[in-house]
Amino acid sequence: MSQVAEEHRKVAEVFTARLLGVAPDAWDNPAPCEGWVARDVVRHLVEWLPGFLAAGSDVKLPAGPPVDEDPVAAWTVQRDAVQALLDDPATAERTLANPHIGEIPLDRAIDQFYTADVFMHTWDLARATGQDETLDPERCAQLLAGMEPMEAAMRGSGQFGPRVEVPADADVQTRLLAFIGRRP
């Protein structure tokens, strides 16, 4: 099993736990992403990846039920499809082509863009629904170190809010969240 597949499994497991912990009346709670509610965090994750993969590779992920009908099932269908893709040894030999990032190995693209997104949005879902907001500090440090050199491009993409100022001695999770525009 590849490291990318194992990393997705771990990150998806934590997100799934938060998803299963959402109270039925909490799906419309405001999320830390401006204009979003808890359900929109799930919607974002299940809606952007299929198009990203289809546009740059021959991967067609199966569609689950609409998020508005069943956010847990919508996530589970995608999580399982992505895991199966990453568990397939042939995936490491496939590529994804994108005009913004060029051509990169498919498994690396999923890890760099999707698994990282799931990881960061775990905090958003937890915050919106009053659950444990703790993220893995090693993964936080790894993501922060990888994103800081690309800050201008990231901000220019419109996908991240302005950096939030935090004390210099803030823990790595707080620094990561502040970097992506969250108010931890």
Side-chain angles (χ1 to χ4, degrees), residues 29-44:
N29 289 1
C33 304
E34 188 174 335
W36 285 14
V37 296
R39 180 184 316 275
D40 295 326
V41 175
V42 180
R43 183 186 328 280
H44 166 72

Side-chain angles (χ1 to χ4, degrees), residues 166-184:
V166 295
D169 64 347
D171 65 79
V172 70
Q173 176 175 315
T174 299
R175 293 193 324 269
L176 172 65
L177 293 168
F179 179 83
I180 64 171
R182 304 299 193 274
R183 297 189 179 281

Side-chain angles (χ1 to χ4, degrees), residues 11 15 36 41 44-46 48-49 110-124 139 143 159-160 180 182:
V11 168
F15 185 83
W36 285 14
V41 175
H44 166 72
L45 292 172
V46 301
W48 78 263
L49 181 65
I110 292 170
D111 183 57
Q112 184 176 345
F113 297 101
Y114 178 70
T115 303
D117 206 34
V118 173
F119 178 81
M120 291 181 282
H121 284 303
T122 298
W123 182 85
D124 293 325
R139 179 89 173 162
L143 287 175
Q159 300 298 312
F160 298 88
I180 64 171
R182 304 299 193 274

Side-chain angles (χ1 to χ4, degrees), residues 1-2 4-6 8-9 49-50 52-54 57-62 77-96 105-111 114:
M1 178 181 324
S2 77
V4 169
E6 186 55 32
H8 177 266
R9 187 178 325 283
L49 181 65
F52 176 72
L53 294 177
S57 72
D58 61 353
V59 174
K60 304 281 188 252
L61 293 177
V77 167
Q78 181 161 296
R79 177 202 64 201
D80 293 349
V82 171
Q83 193 64 55
L85 182 63
L86 293 174
D87 285 340
D88 181 350
T91 298
E93 304 301 320
R94 298 167 77 177
T95 59
L96 180 129
L106 179 61
D107 60 346
R108 195 175 107 213
I110 292 170
D111 183 57
Y114 178 70

Side-chain angles (χ1 to χ4, degrees), residues 143-155:
L143 287 175
L144 186 58
M147 291 188 303
E148 283 181 321
M150 304 182 304
E151 182 170 8
M154 291 174 60
R155 301 271 178 247

